[in-house]
């Protein structure tokens, strides 16, 4: 039981590292939550801090999910009754919760997309690549990161089900079950974006819009 608690707490603390806030203060001496969308995630880091800082924040946040899922979950001494896949999922989930509700910044962090991507990379990387493709296609066609994130999350259980039904790489039932809840969580964390979408007030990703205009 102590090992399980250690895994969950350590995963949460790793996920709680407020990457965007730290990079904002280091690079521009600002609190990123006071600029742009006010979110402490990769997308707002791109908007406010520039593409280099945004890329670093995004990759680091993904790495938090990977590390918790693939590494911290292996610290098990007295967790014999927990399915190994469920243990990895629980560790990754705690990292996602830490990323979204970070203890180091008043429980206000990112939206959980990057850390969630890290969890999927650790458990089923092929599914992540396909979700990333969905994300990229929707982003390029709409310019809206929120819609792209939700679309990628919704596609995950469908992709895993198709792999399990028709593919040559079986998917653990624990991951199949858990994948159903990921879109619900991502929709929940994007509820303010959804409200803006319904009002027609959601802002597209500016740099992508400029790139598309140049291509035309």
């Amino acid at each position: 039981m102590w090992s399980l608690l250690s895994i969950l707490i350590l995963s949460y603390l790793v996920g709680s590292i407020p990457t965007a806030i730290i990079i904002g203060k280091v690079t521009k001496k600002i609190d990123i939550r006071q600029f742009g969308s006010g979110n402490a995630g990769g997308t707002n880091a791109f908007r406010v801090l520039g593409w280099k800082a945004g890329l670093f924040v995004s990759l680091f946040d993904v790495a938090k999910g990977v590390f918790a899922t693939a590494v911290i979950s292996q610290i098990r001494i007295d967790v014999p009754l927990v399915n190994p896949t469920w243990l990895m999922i629980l560790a990754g989930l705690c990292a996602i919760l830490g990323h979204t509700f970070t203890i180091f910044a008043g429980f206000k962090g990112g939206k959980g997309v990057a850390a969630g991507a890290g969890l999927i990379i650790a458990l089923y990387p092929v599914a992540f690549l396909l979700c990333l493709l969905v994300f990229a296609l929707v982003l390029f066609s709409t310019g809206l990161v929120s819609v792209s994130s939700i679309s990628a999350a919704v596609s995950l259980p469908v992709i895993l089900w198709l792999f399990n039904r028709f593919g040559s790489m079986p998917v653990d039932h624990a991951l199949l079950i858990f994948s159903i809840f990921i879109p619900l969580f991502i929709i929940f964390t994007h509820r303010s974006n959804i409200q803006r979408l319904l009002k027609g007030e959601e802002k597209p990703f500016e740099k992508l819009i400029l790139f598309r205009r140049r291509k035309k």
Side-chain angles (χ1 to χ4, degrees), residues 138-203:
V138 176
L139 180 62
F140 193 77
S141 60
T142 67
L144 298 169
V145 178
S146 57
V147 175
S148 305
S149 299
I150 293 171
S151 299
V154 170
S155 71
L156 176 63
V158 177
I159 289 169
L160 290 175
W161 181 84
L162 290 172
F163 266 112
N164 195 58
R165 181 71 176 83
F166 303 107
S168 58
M169 297 181 291
V171 182
D172 192 290
H173 284 172
L175 180 56
L176 277 173
I177 294 170
F178 177 71
S179 70
I180 298 172
F181 295 95
I182 290 181
L184 300 178
F185 182 80
I186 297 302
I187 289 171
F188 170 77
T189 60
H190 284 80
R191 59 194 183 281
S192 60
N193 301 83
I194 293 172
Q195 290 175 355
R196 289 194 295 270
L197 281 167
L198 294 175
K199 295 177 182 178
E201 298 174 351
E202 181 75 339
K203 294 181 180 179

Short mmCIF file of all heavy atoms in Angstrom, two decimals, residues 138-203:
data_model
loop_
_atom_site.label_atom_id
_atom_site.label_comp_id
_atom_site.label_asym_id
_atom_site.label_seq_id
_atom_site.Cartn_x
_atom_site.Cartn_y
_atom_site.Cartn_z
N VAL A 138 -7.20 18.67 -37.87
CA VAL A 138 -8.25 19.57 -37.39
C VAL A 138 -7.68 20.96 -37.15
O VAL A 138 -8.31 21.98 -37.47
CB VAL A 138 -8.91 19.02 -36.11
CG1 VAL A 138 -9.94 20.01 -35.57
CG2 VAL A 138 -9.58 17.68 -36.41
N LEU A 139 -6.47 21.02 -36.59
CA LEU A 139 -5.85 22.32 -36.32
C LEU A 139 -5.60 23.08 -37.61
O LEU A 139 -5.88 24.29 -37.70
CB LEU A 139 -4.53 22.12 -35.56
CG LEU A 139 -3.77 23.42 -35.21
CD1 LEU A 139 -4.62 24.30 -34.29
CD2 LEU A 139 -2.44 23.08 -34.55
N PHE A 140 -5.10 22.39 -38.62
CA PHE A 140 -4.80 23.07 -39.88
C PHE A 140 -6.07 23.52 -40.59
O PHE A 140 -6.07 24.55 -41.27
CB PHE A 140 -3.99 22.17 -40.80
CG PHE A 140 -3.39 22.90 -41.97
CD1 PHE A 140 -2.26 23.69 -41.82
CD2 PHE A 140 -3.97 22.82 -43.24
CE1 PHE A 140 -1.71 24.39 -42.89
CE2 PHE A 140 -3.44 23.51 -44.32
CZ PHE A 140 -2.30 24.29 -44.15
N SER A 141 -7.15 22.77 -40.42
CA SER A 141 -8.39 23.13 -41.12
C SER A 141 -9.21 24.18 -40.36
O SER A 141 -9.94 24.96 -40.98
CB SER A 141 -9.25 21.88 -41.34
OG SER A 141 -9.60 21.28 -40.10
N THR A 142 -9.08 24.22 -39.02
CA THR A 142 -9.90 25.16 -38.24
C THR A 142 -9.08 26.26 -37.58
O THR A 142 -9.62 27.34 -37.32
CB THR A 142 -10.68 24.42 -37.13
OG1 THR A 142 -9.75 23.91 -36.16
CG2 THR A 142 -11.50 23.28 -37.71
N GLY A 143 -7.81 25.98 -37.29
CA GLY A 143 -6.99 26.95 -36.57
C GLY A 143 -7.29 27.00 -35.09
O GLY A 143 -6.73 27.82 -34.36
N LEU A 144 -8.17 26.11 -34.60
CA LEU A 144 -8.60 26.13 -33.20
C LEU A 144 -7.95 24.98 -32.43
O LEU A 144 -8.24 23.81 -32.69
CB LEU A 144 -10.12 26.03 -33.11
CG LEU A 144 -10.90 27.18 -33.77
CD1 LEU A 144 -12.38 26.84 -33.86
CD2 LEU A 144 -10.70 28.47 -32.96
N VAL A 145 -7.09 25.32 -31.48
CA VAL A 145 -6.39 24.29 -30.70
C VAL A 145 -7.38 23.52 -29.82
O VAL A 145 -7.25 22.31 -29.65
CB VAL A 145 -5.29 24.93 -29.83
CG1 VAL A 145 -4.60 23.88 -28.97
CG2 VAL A 145 -4.26 25.63 -30.71
N SER A 146 -8.36 24.21 -29.27
CA SER A 146 -9.33 23.55 -28.40
C SER A 146 -10.11 22.47 -29.15
O SER A 146 -10.26 21.35 -28.66
CB SER A 146 -10.30 24.58 -27.80
OG SER A 146 -10.96 25.30 -28.83
N VAL A 147 -10.58 22.80 -30.34
CA VAL A 147 -11.32 21.83 -31.15
C VAL A 147 -10.41 20.66 -31.54
O VAL A 147 -10.83 19.51 -31.54
CB VAL A 147 -11.91 22.50 -32.41
CG1 VAL A 147 -12.58 21.48 -33.31
CG2 VAL A 147 -12.91 23.58 -32.01
N SER A 148 -9.17 20.98 -31.86
CA SER A 148 -8.21 19.94 -32.24
C SER A 148 -7.94 19.00 -31.08
O SER A 148 -7.87 17.78 -31.25
CB SER A 148 -6.90 20.59 -32.70
OG SER A 148 -7.13 21.52 -33.72
N SER A 149 -7.77 19.54 -29.88
CA SER A 149 -7.51 18.73 -28.69
C SER A 149 -8.69 17.82 -28.38
O SER A 149 -8.52 16.62 -28.09
CB SER A 149 -7.20 19.63 -27.49
OG SER A 149 -6.06 20.42 -27.73
N ILE A 150 -9.88 18.38 -28.43
CA ILE A 150 -11.08 17.59 -28.15
C ILE A 150 -11.26 16.50 -29.21
O ILE A 150 -11.58 15.35 -28.89
CB ILE A 150 -12.33 18.49 -28.09
CG1 ILE A 150 -12.23 19.42 -26.88
CG2 ILE A 150 -13.60 17.66 -28.03
CD1 ILE A 150 -13.29 20.51 -26.84
N SER A 151 -11.02 16.83 -30.46
CA SER A 151 -11.15 15.86 -31.55
C SER A 151 -10.17 14.70 -31.38
O SER A 151 -10.52 13.53 -31.56
CB SER A 151 -10.92 16.54 -32.90
OG SER A 151 -11.86 17.56 -33.13
N ALA A 152 -8.93 15.03 -31.02
CA ALA A 152 -7.92 13.99 -30.82
C ALA A 152 -8.30 13.09 -29.65
O ALA A 152 -8.15 11.87 -29.71
CB ALA A 152 -6.56 14.62 -30.58
N ALA A 153 -8.82 13.70 -28.57
CA ALA A 153 -9.21 12.93 -27.40
C ALA A 153 -10.39 12.00 -27.71
O ALA A 153 -10.41 10.83 -27.31
CB ALA A 153 -9.58 13.87 -26.25
N VAL A 154 -11.36 12.51 -28.46
CA VAL A 154 -12.53 11.71 -28.83
C VAL A 154 -12.13 10.56 -29.75
O VAL A 154 -12.70 9.47 -29.71
CB VAL A 154 -13.60 12.60 -29.49
CG1 VAL A 154 -14.71 11.76 -30.11
CG2 VAL A 154 -14.18 13.58 -28.47
N SER A 155 -11.13 10.80 -30.58
CA SER A 155 -10.70 9.75 -31.52
C SER A 155 -9.96 8.61 -30.83
O SER A 155 -9.88 7.51 -31.37
CB SER A 155 -9.81 10.35 -32.62
OG SER A 155 -8.54 10.72 -32.10
N LEU A 156 -9.40 8.87 -29.63
CA LEU A 156 -8.57 7.86 -28.96
C LEU A 156 -9.30 6.54 -28.71
O LEU A 156 -8.81 5.48 -29.13
CB LEU A 156 -8.01 8.42 -27.66
CG LEU A 156 -7.21 7.41 -26.82
CD1 LEU A 156 -5.98 6.94 -27.57
CD2 LEU A 156 -6.83 8.01 -25.48
N PRO A 157 -10.45 6.53 -28.02
CA PRO A 157 -11.12 5.24 -27.79
C PRO A 157 -11.53 4.55 -29.08
O PRO A 157 -11.52 3.31 -29.16
CB PRO A 157 -12.34 5.61 -26.93
CG PRO A 157 -12.53 7.07 -27.12
CD PRO A 157 -11.19 7.65 -27.39
N VAL A 158 -11.87 5.32 -30.10
CA VAL A 158 -12.24 4.73 -31.39
C VAL A 158 -11.03 4.04 -32.02
O VAL A 158 -11.11 2.89 -32.50
CB VAL A 158 -12.79 5.80 -32.35
CG1 VAL A 158 -13.11 5.19 -33.71
CG2 VAL A 158 -14.01 6.48 -31.76
N ILE A 159 -9.89 4.72 -32.00
CA ILE A 159 -8.66 4.17 -32.57
C ILE A 159 -8.26 2.90 -31.83
O ILE A 159 -7.91 1.88 -32.45
CB ILE A 159 -7.53 5.21 -32.51
CG1 ILE A 159 -7.81 6.34 -33.53
CG2 ILE A 159 -6.17 4.57 -32.80
CD1 ILE A 159 -6.91 7.54 -33.36
N LEU A 160 -8.30 2.93 -30.49
CA LEU A 160 -7.92 1.76 -29.70
C LEU A 160 -8.87 0.60 -29.96
O LEU A 160 -8.43 -0.56 -30.06
CB LEU A 160 -7.90 2.12 -28.21
CG LEU A 160 -6.77 3.05 -27.76
CD1 LEU A 160 -6.94 3.42 -26.30
CD2 LEU A 160 -5.41 2.40 -27.99
N TRP A 161 -10.16 0.89 -30.07
CA TRP A 161 -11.13 -0.17 -30.34
C TRP A 161 -10.86 -0.81 -31.71
O TRP A 161 -10.92 -2.03 -31.85
CB TRP A 161 -12.55 0.39 -30.30
CG TRP A 161 -13.59 -0.68 -30.54
CD1 TRP A 161 -14.11 -1.54 -29.63
CD2 TRP A 161 -14.19 -1.01 -31.81
NE1 TRP A 161 -15.02 -2.39 -30.23
CE2 TRP A 161 -15.08 -2.09 -31.57
CE3 TRP A 161 -14.07 -0.50 -33.10
CZ2 TRP A 161 -15.85 -2.65 -32.60
CZ3 TRP A 161 -14.83 -1.07 -34.11
CH2 TRP A 161 -15.70 -2.12 -33.86
N LEU A 162 -10.57 0.01 -32.70
CA LEU A 162 -10.28 -0.51 -34.05
C LEU A 162 -9.03 -1.37 -34.04
O LEU A 162 -8.99 -2.43 -34.68
CB LEU A 162 -10.13 0.65 -35.04
CG LEU A 162 -11.42 1.41 -35.38
CD1 LEU A 162 -11.10 2.64 -36.22
CD2 LEU A 162 -12.40 0.50 -36.11
N PHE A 163 -7.99 -0.93 -33.31
CA PHE A 163 -6.77 -1.73 -33.21
C PHE A 163 -7.06 -3.06 -32.52
O PHE A 163 -6.56 -4.11 -32.93
CB PHE A 163 -5.69 -0.97 -32.44
CG PHE A 163 -4.76 -0.19 -33.33
CD1 PHE A 163 -4.77 1.19 -33.32
CD2 PHE A 163 -3.88 -0.84 -34.18
CE1 PHE A 163 -3.92 1.92 -34.14
CE2 PHE A 163 -3.02 -0.12 -35.00
CZ PHE A 163 -3.04 1.26 -34.98
N ASN A 164 -7.84 -3.00 -31.47
CA ASN A 164 -8.15 -4.22 -30.72
C ASN A 164 -9.03 -5.17 -31.53
O ASN A 164 -8.91 -6.40 -31.42
CB ASN A 164 -8.86 -3.86 -29.42
CG ASN A 164 -8.89 -5.02 -28.45
OD1 ASN A 164 -7.85 -5.55 -28.07
ND2 ASN A 164 -10.08 -5.42 -28.03
N ARG A 165 -9.88 -4.60 -32.38
CA ARG A 165 -10.83 -5.43 -33.15
C ARG A 165 -10.21 -5.96 -34.43
O ARG A 165 -10.41 -7.13 -34.79
CB ARG A 165 -12.07 -4.58 -33.48
CG ARG A 165 -13.16 -5.32 -34.25
CD ARG A 165 -13.85 -6.34 -33.37
NE ARG A 165 -14.95 -6.98 -34.08
CZ ARG A 165 -14.82 -8.00 -34.92
NH1 ARG A 165 -13.62 -8.49 -35.17
NH2 ARG A 165 -15.88 -8.53 -35.50
N PHE A 166 -9.43 -5.14 -35.11
CA PHE A 166 -8.94 -5.53 -36.43
C PHE A 166 -7.42 -5.57 -36.55
O PHE A 166 -6.90 -6.09 -37.53
CB PHE A 166 -9.49 -4.56 -37.50
CG PHE A 166 -10.99 -4.47 -37.53
CD1 PHE A 166 -11.65 -3.35 -37.04
CD2 PHE A 166 -11.74 -5.53 -38.03
CE1 PHE A 166 -13.03 -3.27 -37.06
CE2 PHE A 166 -13.12 -5.45 -38.07
CZ PHE A 166 -13.78 -4.33 -37.58
N GLY A 167 -6.71 -4.97 -35.59
CA GLY A 167 -5.26 -4.88 -35.70
C GLY A 167 -4.54 -6.11 -35.19
O GLY A 167 -5.14 -7.05 -34.66
N SER A 168 -3.24 -6.10 -35.34
CA SER A 168 -2.40 -7.21 -34.91
C SER A 168 -1.78 -6.95 -33.54
O SER A 168 -1.03 -7.78 -33.03
CB SER A 168 -1.28 -7.45 -35.93
OG SER A 168 -0.50 -6.28 -36.10
N MET A 169 -2.07 -5.75 -32.96
CA MET A 169 -1.52 -5.41 -31.65
C MET A 169 -2.67 -5.25 -30.66
O MET A 169 -3.31 -4.20 -30.62
CB MET A 169 -0.71 -4.12 -31.73
CG MET A 169 0.52 -4.22 -32.62
SD MET A 169 1.47 -2.67 -32.67
CE MET A 169 0.34 -1.59 -33.56
N PRO A 170 -2.97 -6.28 -29.87
CA PRO A 170 -4.09 -6.21 -28.93
C PRO A 170 -3.91 -5.07 -27.93
O PRO A 170 -2.80 -4.71 -27.56
CB PRO A 170 -4.03 -7.57 -28.21
CG PRO A 170 -3.26 -8.46 -29.12
CD PRO A 170 -2.27 -7.58 -29.82
N VAL A 171 -5.04 -4.50 -27.52
CA VAL A 171 -5.03 -3.41 -26.56
C VAL A 171 -5.53 -3.95 -25.22
O VAL A 171 -6.55 -4.63 -25.16
CB VAL A 171 -5.95 -2.26 -27.03
CG1 VAL A 171 -5.91 -1.11 -26.03
CG2 VAL A 171 -5.54 -1.79 -28.41
N ASP A 172 -4.78 -3.66 -24.17
CA ASP A 172 -5.18 -4.09 -22.83
C ASP A 172 -6.56 -3.53 -22.50
O ASP A 172 -6.84 -2.35 -22.75
CB ASP A 172 -4.16 -3.62 -21.80
CG ASP A 172 -4.36 -4.28 -20.45
OD1 ASP A 172 -5.37 -3.97 -19.79
OD2 ASP A 172 -3.50 -5.09 -20.05
N HIS A 173 -7.44 -4.36 -21.93
CA HIS A 173 -8.79 -3.92 -21.63
C HIS A 173 -8.81 -2.75 -20.65
O HIS A 173 -9.71 -1.91 -20.69
CB HIS A 173 -9.61 -5.09 -21.06
CG HIS A 173 -10.02 -6.06 -22.11
ND1 HIS A 173 -10.63 -7.27 -21.83
CD2 HIS A 173 -9.92 -6.01 -23.47
CE1 HIS A 173 -10.88 -7.92 -22.96
NE2 HIS A 173 -10.46 -7.18 -23.96
N ALA A 174 -7.81 -2.69 -19.78
CA ALA A 174 -7.73 -1.56 -18.84
C ALA A 174 -7.58 -0.24 -19.59
O ALA A 174 -8.22 0.76 -19.26
CB ALA A 174 -6.55 -1.76 -17.89
N LEU A 175 -6.74 -0.24 -20.62
CA LEU A 175 -6.54 0.97 -21.42
C LEU A 175 -7.79 1.29 -22.23
O LEU A 175 -8.16 2.47 -22.38
CB LEU A 175 -5.34 0.80 -22.35
CG LEU A 175 -5.01 1.99 -23.25
CD1 LEU A 175 -4.79 3.26 -22.43
CD2 LEU A 175 -3.79 1.70 -24.11
N LEU A 176 -8.46 0.26 -22.76
CA LEU A 176 -9.70 0.48 -23.51
C LEU A 176 -10.75 1.16 -22.64
O LEU A 176 -11.41 2.12 -23.05
CB LEU A 176 -10.24 -0.86 -24.03
CG LEU A 176 -9.66 -1.39 -25.33
CD1 LEU A 176 -10.19 -2.80 -25.60
CD2 LEU A 176 -9.98 -0.48 -26.49
N ILE A 177 -10.89 0.67 -21.42
CA ILE A 177 -11.88 1.24 -20.50
C ILE A 177 -11.50 2.67 -20.14
O ILE A 177 -12.33 3.58 -20.18
CB ILE A 177 -11.99 0.37 -19.23
CG1 ILE A 177 -12.57 -1.01 -19.58
CG2 ILE A 177 -12.87 1.06 -18.18
CD1 ILE A 177 -12.51 -2.01 -18.46
N PHE A 178 -10.24 2.87 -19.79
CA PHE A 178 -9.79 4.20 -19.37
C PHE A 178 -9.92 5.21 -20.50
O PHE A 178 -10.23 6.38 -20.26
CB PHE A 178 -8.33 4.11 -18.90
CG PHE A 178 -7.75 5.44 -18.53
CD1 PHE A 178 -8.15 6.09 -17.37
CD2 PHE A 178 -6.80 6.05 -19.33
CE1 PHE A 178 -7.62 7.33 -17.02
CE2 PHE A 178 -6.25 7.28 -19.00
CZ PHE A 178 -6.67 7.92 -17.83
N SER A 179 -9.67 4.77 -21.73
CA SER A 179 -9.69 5.70 -22.87
C SER A 179 -11.06 6.36 -23.06
O SER A 179 -11.15 7.44 -23.65
CB SER A 179 -9.28 4.98 -24.16
OG SER A 179 -10.28 4.06 -24.57
N ILE A 180 -12.10 5.72 -22.57
CA ILE A 180 -13.45 6.29 -22.70
C ILE A 180 -13.59 7.56 -21.86
O ILE A 180 -14.32 8.49 -22.21
CB ILE A 180 -14.50 5.26 -22.28
CG1 ILE A 180 -14.45 4.04 -23.20
CG2 ILE A 180 -15.91 5.86 -22.28
CD1 ILE A 180 -15.31 2.88 -22.76
N PHE A 181 -12.85 7.59 -20.75
CA PHE A 181 -12.98 8.72 -19.83
C PHE A 181 -12.09 9.90 -20.22
O PHE A 181 -12.33 11.03 -19.78
CB PHE A 181 -12.64 8.28 -18.40
CG PHE A 181 -13.61 7.27 -17.86
CD1 PHE A 181 -13.33 5.92 -17.94
CD2 PHE A 181 -14.82 7.67 -17.30
CE1 PHE A 181 -14.23 4.98 -17.45
CE2 PHE A 181 -15.72 6.75 -16.81
CZ PHE A 181 -15.43 5.39 -16.89
N ILE A 182 -11.07 9.66 -21.05
CA ILE A 182 -10.17 10.74 -21.44
C ILE A 182 -10.91 11.85 -22.18
O ILE A 182 -10.74 13.04 -21.86
CB ILE A 182 -8.99 10.20 -22.27
CG1 ILE A 182 -8.06 9.38 -21.38
CG2 ILE A 182 -8.23 11.34 -22.94
CD1 ILE A 182 -6.85 8.82 -22.08
N PRO A 183 -11.76 11.55 -23.19
CA PRO A 183 -12.49 12.65 -23.86
C PRO A 183 -13.36 13.44 -22.89
O PRO A 183 -13.47 14.66 -23.02
CB PRO A 183 -13.34 11.91 -24.90
CG PRO A 183 -12.66 10.62 -25.12
CD PRO A 183 -12.05 10.25 -23.81
N LEU A 184 -13.96 12.75 -21.91
CA LEU A 184 -14.81 13.44 -20.94
C LEU A 184 -13.99 14.42 -20.12
O LEU A 184 -14.43 15.56 -19.87
CB LEU A 184 -15.49 12.42 -20.02
CG LEU A 184 -16.39 11.39 -20.71
CD1 LEU A 184 -16.95 10.41 -19.69
CD2 LEU A 184 -17.52 12.08 -21.46
N PHE A 185 -12.79 14.01 -19.72
CA PHE A 185 -11.93 14.89 -18.94
C PHE A 185 -11.47 16.09 -19.77
O PHE A 185 -11.47 17.23 -19.29
CB PHE A 185 -10.72 14.11 -18.42
CG PHE A 185 -9.81 14.93 -17.55
CD1 PHE A 185 -10.12 15.17 -16.22
CD2 PHE A 185 -8.63 15.48 -18.06
CE1 PHE A 185 -9.29 15.94 -15.41
CE2 PHE A 185 -7.80 16.24 -17.27
CZ PHE A 185 -8.11 16.47 -15.94
N ILE A 186 -11.07 15.83 -21.02
CA ILE A 186 -10.59 16.90 -21.88
C ILE A 186 -11.73 17.89 -22.20
O ILE A 186 -11.52 19.10 -22.22
CB ILE A 186 -10.00 16.34 -23.19
CG1 ILE A 186 -8.76 15.48 -22.87
CG2 ILE A 186 -9.63 17.46 -24.16
CD1 ILE A 186 -7.66 16.21 -22.13
N ILE A 187 -12.92 17.36 -22.40
CA ILE A 187 -14.08 18.25 -22.62
C ILE A 187 -14.32 19.10 -21.37
O ILE A 187 -14.61 20.29 -21.46
CB ILE A 187 -15.32 17.42 -22.98
CG1 ILE A 187 -15.17 16.84 -24.40
CG2 ILE A 187 -16.59 18.27 -22.90
CD1 ILE A 187 -16.23 15.83 -24.77
N PHE A 188 -14.17 18.48 -20.20
CA PHE A 188 -14.37 19.22 -18.94
C PHE A 188 -13.36 20.34 -18.80
O PHE A 188 -13.72 21.48 -18.47
CB PHE A 188 -14.26 18.26 -17.76
CG PHE A 188 -14.21 18.96 -16.42
CD1 PHE A 188 -15.37 19.48 -15.85
CD2 PHE A 188 -13.01 19.11 -15.74
CE1 PHE A 188 -15.33 20.13 -14.63
CE2 PHE A 188 -12.96 19.78 -14.52
CZ PHE A 188 -14.12 20.29 -13.96
N THR A 189 -12.09 20.06 -19.07
CA THR A 189 -11.07 21.10 -18.91
C THR A 189 -11.18 22.18 -19.99
O THR A 189 -10.63 23.27 -19.83
CB THR A 189 -9.65 20.50 -18.94
OG1 THR A 189 -9.42 19.82 -20.18
CG2 THR A 189 -9.45 19.53 -17.78
N HIS A 190 -11.88 21.86 -21.09
CA HIS A 190 -12.06 22.84 -22.17
C HIS A 190 -13.46 23.45 -22.14
O HIS A 190 -13.91 24.02 -23.14
CB HIS A 190 -11.83 22.17 -23.54
CG HIS A 190 -10.38 21.95 -23.85
ND1 HIS A 190 -9.68 20.89 -23.34
CD2 HIS A 190 -9.50 22.66 -24.62
CE1 HIS A 190 -8.43 20.94 -23.80
NE2 HIS A 190 -8.30 22.00 -24.56
N ARG A 191 -14.13 23.36 -21.01
CA ARG A 191 -15.52 23.85 -20.94
C ARG A 191 -15.62 25.34 -21.24
O ARG A 191 -16.58 25.80 -21.88
CB ARG A 191 -16.15 23.51 -19.59
CG ARG A 191 -15.43 24.09 -18.39
CD ARG A 191 -15.92 23.42 -17.10
NE ARG A 191 -15.30 23.99 -15.91
CZ ARG A 191 -14.07 23.69 -15.49
NH1 ARG A 191 -13.33 22.83 -16.18
NH2 ARG A 191 -13.59 24.24 -14.40
N SER A 192 -14.63 26.13 -20.79
CA SER A 192 -14.67 27.57 -21.09
C SER A 192 -14.45 27.81 -22.59
O SER A 192 -15.06 28.72 -23.18
CB SER A 192 -13.60 28.32 -20.28
OG SER A 192 -12.30 27.83 -20.59
N ASN A 193 -13.61 26.98 -23.22
CA ASN A 193 -13.41 27.10 -24.67
C ASN A 193 -14.69 26.76 -25.41
O ASN A 193 -15.03 27.41 -26.41
CB ASN A 193 -12.30 26.15 -25.12
CG ASN A 193 -10.97 26.41 -24.44
OD1 ASN A 193 -10.76 25.93 -23.33
ND2 ASN A 193 -10.10 27.17 -25.09
N ILE A 194 -15.39 25.74 -24.93
CA ILE A 194 -16.64 25.32 -25.57
C ILE A 194 -17.68 26.44 -25.48
O ILE A 194 -18.42 26.71 -26.45
CB ILE A 194 -17.16 24.02 -24.94
CG1 ILE A 194 -16.21 22.86 -25.25
CG2 ILE A 194 -18.57 23.69 -25.44
CD1 ILE A 194 -16.52 21.58 -24.51
N GLN A 195 -17.72 27.10 -24.33
CA GLN A 195 -18.65 28.22 -24.18
C GLN A 195 -18.32 29.34 -25.16
O GLN A 195 -19.23 29.92 -25.78
CB GLN A 195 -18.58 28.76 -22.74
CG GLN A 195 -19.18 27.81 -21.72
CD GLN A 195 -18.99 28.30 -20.30
OE1 GLN A 195 -18.34 29.32 -20.05
NE2 GLN A 195 -19.56 27.58 -19.34
N ARG A 196 -17.02 29.60 -25.35
CA ARG A 196 -16.63 30.64 -26.31
C ARG A 196 -16.93 30.19 -27.74
O ARG A 196 -17.31 31.01 -28.59
CB ARG A 196 -15.14 30.97 -26.16
CG ARG A 196 -14.82 31.73 -24.89
CD ARG A 196 -13.42 32.34 -24.94
NE ARG A 196 -12.39 31.32 -24.98
CZ ARG A 196 -11.82 30.80 -23.90
NH1 ARG A 196 -12.20 31.18 -22.69
NH2 ARG A 196 -10.86 29.91 -24.01
N LEU A 197 -16.77 28.90 -28.02
CA LEU A 197 -17.10 28.38 -29.34
C LEU A 197 -18.58 28.59 -29.65
O LEU A 197 -18.94 29.00 -30.76
CB LEU A 197 -16.76 26.89 -29.43
CG LEU A 197 -15.28 26.53 -29.64
CD1 LEU A 197 -15.07 25.04 -29.38
CD2 LEU A 197 -14.85 26.88 -31.06
N LEU A 198 -19.42 28.29 -28.68
CA LEU A 198 -20.86 28.44 -28.88
C LEU A 198 -21.26 29.90 -29.10
O LEU A 198 -22.24 30.20 -29.78
CB LEU A 198 -21.62 27.87 -27.67
CG LEU A 198 -21.49 26.35 -27.47
CD1 LEU A 198 -22.17 25.92 -26.18
CD2 LEU A 198 -22.09 25.60 -28.66
N LYS A 199 -20.46 30.81 -28.52
CA LYS A 199 -20.73 32.25 -28.69
C LYS A 199 -20.00 32.83 -29.91
O LYS A 199 -20.17 34.01 -30.22
CB LYS A 199 -20.29 33.01 -27.44
CG LYS A 199 -21.09 32.66 -26.19
CD LYS A 199 -20.53 33.41 -24.98
CE LYS A 199 -21.28 33.04 -23.72
NZ LYS A 199 -20.72 33.72 -22.52
N GLY A 200 -19.18 31.99 -30.56
CA GLY A 200 -18.41 32.46 -31.70
C GLY A 200 -17.25 33.35 -31.29
O GLY A 200 -16.78 34.17 -32.09
N GLU A 201 -16.76 33.18 -30.05
CA GLU A 201 -15.72 34.06 -29.53
C GLU A 201 -14.37 33.36 -29.36
O GLU A 201 -13.42 33.99 -28.90
CB GLU A 201 -16.15 34.63 -28.16
CG GLU A 201 -17.42 35.48 -28.24
CD GLU A 201 -17.91 35.90 -26.86
OE1 GLU A 201 -17.35 35.40 -25.85
OE2 GLU A 201 -18.85 36.71 -26.79
N GLU A 202 -14.29 32.07 -29.69
CA GLU A 202 -13.03 31.34 -29.54
C GLU A 202 -12.03 31.83 -30.57
O GLU A 202 -12.31 31.86 -31.78
CB GLU A 202 -13.26 29.84 -29.70
CG GLU A 202 -12.02 28.98 -29.54
CD GLU A 202 -11.56 28.83 -28.11
OE1 GLU A 202 -11.94 29.69 -27.26
OE2 GLU A 202 -10.82 27.89 -27.82
N LYS A 203 -10.84 32.22 -30.10
CA LYS A 203 -9.83 32.76 -30.99
C LYS A 203 -8.99 31.65 -31.61
O LYS A 203 -8.56 30.74 -30.91
CB LYS A 203 -8.92 33.72 -30.22
CG LYS A 203 -9.62 34.97 -29.73
CD LYS A 203 -8.66 35.88 -28.99
CE LYS A 203 -9.37 37.13 -28.50
NZ LYS A 203 -8.45 38.03 -27.75
#
